[in-house]
Amino acid sequence: MSAEKIYVTRIIVPDAIDKLRENFDEVEVWPEPTPPPKDLMIQKVAECDGMMIESNDIMDSEVFQAVKKLKVVGTRAIGIDNIDVVAATKKGVAIGNTPGILHESCADFTMGLILSLARQVTRSNRKVISGEWKIFDQTPYLGTDVHGKTLGLIGLGLIGTAVAKRATGFDMDIKYYSRTRKEADEKKYGLQWTPDLNELLSTSDYVSVHVPLGPETINFIGTDQLQVMKKDSFLINTSRGGTVDPDALRDALLEGKIAGAALDVTSPEPIAPNDPLVHMENVIITPHIASASAATLRRMGLMAADNVINFLKGEEMPACLNPEVINS
Ligand code: NAP
């Protein structure tokens, strides 16, 4: 048992908290389902040795400015758009995330969104719930096929590749836009590299976004990009809400520039219940749950805890984003 103090910002994975308690004398847990307020984060950063956080806990340069003895932060996520890693590195704080264990669950979910959108699963289900299914008539729910259609992946990292793998089973033609060409994946899954984003957008029936949110990808899909998409095409976003401009998307849907959208992530989160996007019949919005199978959520929690435990015990972290702090 070590004397370091650990702060955990949510009770989402009790097994991960138990694991931290098996290793450290003092593990304090924020009891609310919402992120701790900023002034509390600043206080905890000042008094703790390690923290385990969620993807919506903001750790910006102001928060890291308060570091006194904090050495490691483990986020239960792969996305790190909520963390100023440069500021953390300047303060000698190691940042750990959870790659390699959630992409298959995210890809399952992405395919689920594509299928639901194409075949109007959620829209027709809402009609059944509201009592509008009175007769056998399929014509109000005529969908679009998925097999034989073109899938355009924006970003071919762990999740994009796992989606591609699934889409081959649906006999889709698959294109991808990525900074770097992935020839091994092209051969393995029959993918076509499309370095011209507009070409991908204008030739895909389903466009699925899988790039991280950062300065280069904020509003990556905006008015100009939606403009070139096919009128009968669909946009799927399971990355981060900020990669798609919500105003541009709202306009494009209202003007019929694309056929529909499925968003597991929105900007802001949660999306306002009165946002027109929520009420469009050709839009599916889910509450940022692409990775959240029970098994994957638990594995992510345990990996985030292991990042904290290993660093403080002088062992290798499962995934460290700024290893330069380890030997500094
Ligand atoms: P990843 O393995 O790091 O892959 C990211 C891909 O995006 C890579 O192909 C990368 O290209 C590309 N990329 C990065 N910056 C780019 C840029 N500026 N322009 C073009 N391409 C760029 O990440 P992942 O595991 O697939 O996850 C992707 C994102 O999904 C995460 O960052 C996270 O935000 C989100 N996510 C969401 C959920 C959810 O619950 N909805 C769950 C997990 C993750 P290179 O290969 O050239 O570097």
Side-chain angles (χ1 to χ4, degrees), residues 66-77:
V67 166
K68 291 206 172 84
K69 53 180 187 155
L70 186 71
K71 295 174 199 75
V72 59
V73 174
T75 180
R76 195 190 63 80

Side-chain angles (χ1 to χ4, degrees), residues 117 229 231 233-236 249 253 258-262 282-283:
L117 202 51
M229 284 176 67
K231 280 195 167 33
S233 69
F234 298 93
L235 178 73
I236 299 95
L249 179 62
L253 287 160
I258 61 170
N282 53 350
V283 174

Side-chain angles (χ1 to χ4, degrees), residues 131-144:
E132 288 171 73
W133 182 23
K134 307 267 192 220
I135 51 166
F136 171 68
D137 179 9
Q138 299 169 325
T139 56
Y141 309 110
L142 295 180
T144 307

Side-chain angles (χ1 to χ4, degrees), residues 78-79 81 102 106 155-160 177-180 182 210-213 216-217 220 238-240 264-265 288-291:
I78 186 161
D81 44 285
L102 52 83
C106 286
L156 196 78
L158 285 169
I159 300 174
Y177 167 88
S178 195
R179 292 179 302 195
T180 44
K182 325 269 179 182
H210 300 287
V211 286
L213 178 62
E216 290 171 3
T217 55
F220 203 66
T238 58
S239 65
R240 284 287 182 268
D264 182 51
V265 286
H288 197 147
I289 55 170
S291 67

Side-chain angles (χ1 to χ4, degrees), residues 12 28 57 75 85 97 99 119 136 143 145 149 163 198 201 228 233 237 263 282 328:
I12 290 179
E28 186 187 345
D57 294 322
T75 180
V85 180
N97 66 344
R119 299 300 306 277
F136 171 68
D145 280 325
K149 296 287 182 178
V163 174
N198 279 353
L201 292 168
V228 295
S233 69
N237 188 14
L263 312 170
N282 53 350
S328 63

